[in-house]
Amino acid sequence: MAKVLGEALETPEFLAALQTDRSSANIAAEFGVADTTVQRRRKKIKRKDGRFVGGESFWTNPDGTIDYQTFSERVWTRKDHEDFIRESGIDPDTLTFSTGWTSRPGGGFWNKINNVRPIVESVEETIDWPAASKFIENFTYIPAKRDFLVDSAILQPTDEQWGKTDFAGGTPETEERVLQSYSNFVDYIKEFRPRQVLLARTGDGIENTCSTGSQRDTNDLDVPHQLVQSFKMDLKGVSMIAPHVQEVLDARVTSNHGRWRTGMKADAGNPHADFGIGVGRQLELTQKTLDVLPNVKFLFPEALMESMTVQLDTVSFGMVHGHQAGGPDKMGDWWGKQDHGRMPTWSADYLLVGHWHSYRKYQSGDGRWVIVGPASDPGSSWFSNLKGERATSGMLAACFEGKKQRHEEIL
């Protein structure tokens, strides 16, 4: 599906002229375009069932869905729309979408395919591990150093809280949201081409059942299946990203929802008795056992530590979940004391924080920055009812040239 080349090239007259035996130079002179433009356009145009294939446009909506429109001489039926999708190499049964049309003053119709999104598989389906292993093994493209445009990039997957339900749905909706973020990040690193990527997993990968009294009644997954879901999605994410960079550092820290507990907020072990750390260790074991993902390194905090620093080529990132302080704006004070005590994050250029679900960035000390990432969970209605606000969901992405942050987006 091609983008519209310009308003002049959308007209039925231009499209009709391309299908005559007139010379390219003659058509180019009439419509004020280059001969080569006419020649390229002619190769893309064909007639079928009264519609032109070509003269199309598409755009991405803020929620990640896609809208298409294409010109024809008559209004399309549902079957016409499905055939159009099928001719583009996509099975329409794998998508959800709506259809419509508007008339064009110069004649003909714009047929519309709106809100296109993939149908997400049920999380209860059995994982095809042989297929997953084959997918991981078969990637070969890692770009040469001459292709790099920036030094590094980060993606901050945090607070997915698998098993949680709220106003944005449950596990299936969270899975779709997370996969969309990973997919968007693949496009992001294809555009900016970093040498290395930090996947900064700042905690609360699962919802658990011992953080609030309501969880047992509102969750749509029990804790064992929350762990299965977390492992599956973290594996999918790193497998999608790894083929496109030379090095991936997959780092994770402990968190409050991730803690192993015997009762409500009753911790049952040291700081590394944490389900998020356990999932990371399983991923590392999978990598070594299957001998896959050779450019991925899994990183964890030092023994008994809840925080860590990851050193990239030109910049360093401290990581901590964020429940260690009484609010997101107090994380700078926490970091300052860690600096004074030479704790794990003391020398970092940036501090990456999860837990608080709402993006913010502020300076701390002399030229250092606290970044609180957005969450991927289904929302927190208790907070919205209390404060009247809903945070933007997604994953934070940013590039770094030296220590300078560039191209920041919530994906």
Side-chain angles (χ1 to χ4, degrees):
M1 299 182 182
K3 289 185 178 179
V4 175
L5 297 179
E7 186 63 26
L9 304 189
E10 292 186 65
T11 64
E13 292 80 5
F14 180 77
L15 296 172
L18 296 178
Q19 299 170 83
T20 67
D21 57 0
R22 293 169 56 189
S23 69
S24 296
N26 182 276
I27 297 173
E30 178 181 349
F31 290 92
V33 295
D35 293 8
T36 54
T37 299
V38 175
Q39 293 166 7
R40 286 196 304 269
R41 198 71 170 141
R42 266 182 156 166
K43 291 179 180 179
K44 297 180 180 180
I45 297 294
K46 62 181 179 180
R47 293 276 281 185
K48 185 173 182 180
D49 296 334
R51 67 179 187 269
F52 291 110
V53 179
E56 301 143 15
S57 61
F58 69 92
W59 54 92
T60 302
N61 300 313
D63 64 357
T65 60
I66 297 174
D67 291 350
Y68 295 90
Q69 69 175 15
T70 186
F71 176 77
S72 72
E73 296 176 321
R74 61 175 175 81
V75 175
W76 282 7
T77 65
R78 176 76 180 191
K79 184 178 183 301
D80 289 325
H81 288 94
E82 292 176 351
D83 289 344
F84 178 74
I85 294 171
R86 195 174 287 109
E87 288 168 6
S88 301
I90 304 171
D91 183 355
D93 292 336
T94 65
L95 304 173
T96 62
F97 58 90
S98 58
T99 63
W101 60 271
T102 56
S103 60
R104 186 176 176 83
F109 302 90
W110 285 116
N111 294 285
K112 301 176 183 293
I113 308 174
N114 296 327
N115 301 312
V116 180
R117 70 169 72 233
I119 298 173
V120 179
E121 297 179 1
S122 170
V123 299
E124 296 179 359
E125 293 183 5
T126 302
I127 300 172
D128 186 347
W129 289 110
S133 177
K134 183 178 179 181
F135 168 75
I136 298 169
E137 290 175 351
N138 284 345
F139 79 81
T140 56
Y141 172 69
I142 299 175
K145 189 173 181 62
R146 63 180 179 275
D147 289 332
F148 304 143
L149 298 182
V150 296
D151 296 315
S152 57
I154 64 167
L155 182 70
Q156 189 179 1
T158 189
D159 297 270
E160 299 97 328
Q161 294 180 224
W162 295 112
K164 180 181 181 180
T165 63
D166 214 292
F167 53 70
T171 297
E173 290 77 16
T174 302
E175 179 168 319
E176 181 176 350
R177 190 161 49 250
V178 166
L179 286 175
Q180 186 67 61
S181 293
Y182 284 136
S183 178
N184 290 342
F185 187 64
V186 169
D187 292 337
Y188 179 91
I189 58 179
K190 284 180 179 179
E191 179 179 359
F192 297 114
R193 300 204 297 274
R195 190 197 78 78
Q196 60 184 178
V197 160
L198 169 62
L199 285 178
R201 303 188 187 275
T202 47
D204 279 4
I206 67 169
E207 174 69 350
N208 215 323
T209 57
C210 294
S211 299
T212 67
S214 64
Q215 289 169 310
R216 290 182 184 274
D217 294 322
T218 59
N219 287 352
D220 63 3
L221 292 177
D222 56 34
V223 171
H225 289 91
Q226 291 176 25
L227 297 176
V228 170
Q229 179 70 8
S230 182
F231 175 85
K232 181 184 77 170
M233 297 304 294
D234 287 2
L235 177 61
K236 281 189 176 183
V238 72
S239 299
M240 291 168 68
I241 293 165
H244 306 289
V245 292
Q246 276 198 343
E247 182 180 31
V248 177
L249 302 177
D250 188 310
R252 62 189 63 219
V253 292
T254 64
S255 58
N256 59 319
H257 282 254
R259 282 292 175 87
W260 174 40
R261 288 169 167 167
T262 57
M264 193 59 57
K265 299 185 179 181
D267 295 345
N270 67 40
H272 283 213
D274 181 274
F275 290 119
I277 297 295
V279 167
R281 294 295 186 189
Q282 287 178 308
L283 289 168
E284 185 178 44
L285 179 62
T286 299
Q287 176 201 42
K288 293 177 179 178
T289 302
L290 297 179
D291 193 22
V292 295
L293 299 172
N295 61 331
V296 178
K297 185 175 183 181
F298 293 93
L299 302 175
F300 306 92
E302 299 173 10
L304 302 182
M305 292 290 102
E306 295 183 333
S307 61
M308 65 187 297
T309 289
V310 180
Q311 179 65 56
L312 301 187
D313 288 344
T314 63
V315 63
S316 60
F317 295 92
M319 291 174 51
V320 69
H321 180 56
H323 62 288
Q324 293 81 358
D329 295 325
K330 295 182 179 179
M331 291 306 304
D333 296 335
W334 175 88
W335 192 16
K337 293 178 181 178
Q338 297 289 301
D339 186 351
H340 193 68
R342 290 184 171 85
M343 295 294 279
T345 61
W346 81 279
S347 61
D349 300 306
Y350 293 83
L351 181 68
L352 300 176
V353 181
H355 187 64
W356 300 103
H357 292 223
S358 181
Y359 169 74
R360 68 186 67 196
K361 175 183 175 182
Y362 58 91
Q363 188 169 346
S364 177
D366 184 10
R368 296 200 273 180
W369 296 85
V370 176
I371 299 176
V372 182
S376 295
D377 76 327
S380 298
S381 54
W382 68 268
F383 180 84
S384 298
N385 286 319
L386 182 65
K387 300 292 186 179
E389 299 177 354
R390 292 187 185 183
T392 300
S393 63
M395 298 182 188
L396 177 68
C399 291
F400 291 83
E401 299 172 11
K403 291 179 170 48
K404 297 293 185 180
Q405 185 175 342
R406 300 282 188 266
H407 314 301
E408 178 183 291
E409 295 184 39
I410 297 177
L411 303 178

